[in-house]
Amino acid sequence: MKQTPTDQSHSSLVTYADLAGQVAIVTGSATGIGLAITSALLGQGCHVVMIDLDETALDRSLAKINRPNDTCAITGSVADPDIIQKACDAAITRWGRLDILVNNAGIFANFSSLELTLQDWQRTMDVNLTGTFVCTQTAAKHMVSSGKGTIINLSSIYGTVAAPKRAAYAATKAAVAMLTKVWAVEWAKEGIRVNAVAPGYVGTEGTLELQNQGKIDIAAIAQRTPQGRIGEPEEIANSVLFLASSAASHITGQVLGVDGGWTAYGYL
Ligand SMILES: NC(=O)c1ccc[n+]([C@@H]2O[C@H](COP(=O)([O-])OP(=O)(O)OC[C@H]3O[C@@H](n4cnc5c(N)ncnc54)[C@H](O)[C@@H]3O)[C@@H](O)[C@H]2O)c1
């Protein structure tokens, strides 16, 4: 494992030699954390099937990445079993294997519990929870038959600590943390490791939209974070690389907080 610090950001570039040539599916990969994870995996020599609901953003990111031999894009929802089957088939047809699934696609639902509509509740469940289940079940069938694989789920600080107006979101992220443990123990003997990353606030399009809607205050959040800043998508991507690599070979069923100290902090 070679480590080269960069001075451009708070993240560092680490090379995990075993990831080269592996095939990954990354959901919600047109923007934000998913795009950073995709770029990080490509940087390790992986091939990536990108899935996203937003075709325009997906096309834009594909053009920017410009790695047609190493990427493949599927437009559709993580909650649609046909789309996910298509993505798994694409990985196998194109590169003959499927090693890594990153369940990143997720939506925020910051509504007062008195005003949260059943439609918004259901939509959040569909994407964050059912989507994670559908992708995992479909990918795990390939992984079980090949006797190896690693799955990384995106939970959140709100999978373990509470905040007002997060009923649907927090419920899904807590469920994702528990699914991580269930699948880890269910498939450990099949050679599959399942872990989750639980980010604090990260600077992405999703976070920016919440800020623009007046639903969060990024300056206040940064101040409340022991490190004094929010995270960068690349910092979440780095933790995903570690968990996907053989450097984490004995780690399964864990939820790794990547939050600048947010959940450890018990003061103001
Ligand atoms: N940004 C944060 O502060 C933060 C903090 C904790 C956890 N997370 C989690 O990290 C993940 C990524 O967050 P982000 O900030 O990059 O989000 P984002 O909103 O910036 O990007 C999410 C991407 O997922 C796609 N998507 C949405 N619904 C989809 C669906 N049904 N099927 C396929 N794709 C879909 C969107 O089109 C978008 O490209 C989410 O699961 C989120 O809950 C984010």
Side-chain angles (χ1 to χ4, degrees), residues 27-35 51-55 57-58 74 76-80 84 103-108 123 126-128 131 154-158 169 172-173 197-207 209-210 216 230 233 236:
T27 69
S29 41
T31 59
I33 293 171
L35 180 57
I51 305 175
D52 206 287
L53 203 52
D54 184 339
E55 188 167 20
L58 197 52
I74 308 279
S77 174
V78 284
D80 180 342
I84 304 313
N103 283 309
N104 168 78
I107 54 171
F108 306 99
R123 200 171 140 252
D126 285 348
V127 180
N128 297 5
L154 267 288
S155 182
S156 162
I157 50 172
Y158 294 129
Y169 183 75
T172 61
K173 293 301 180 178
V197 175
Y201 285 88
V202 181
T204 66
E205 288 82 345
T207 310
E209 199 180 319
L210 292 177
I216 60 170
I230 63 168
I236 308 306

Side-chain angles (χ1 to χ4, degrees), residues 97-116:
R97 55 195 281 184
L98 174 59
D99 306 282
I100 301 164
L101 167 68
V102 185
N103 283 309
N104 168 78
I107 54 171
F108 306 99
N110 292 30
F111 300 105
S112 129
S113 295
L114 296 179
E115 286 159 13
L116 177 66

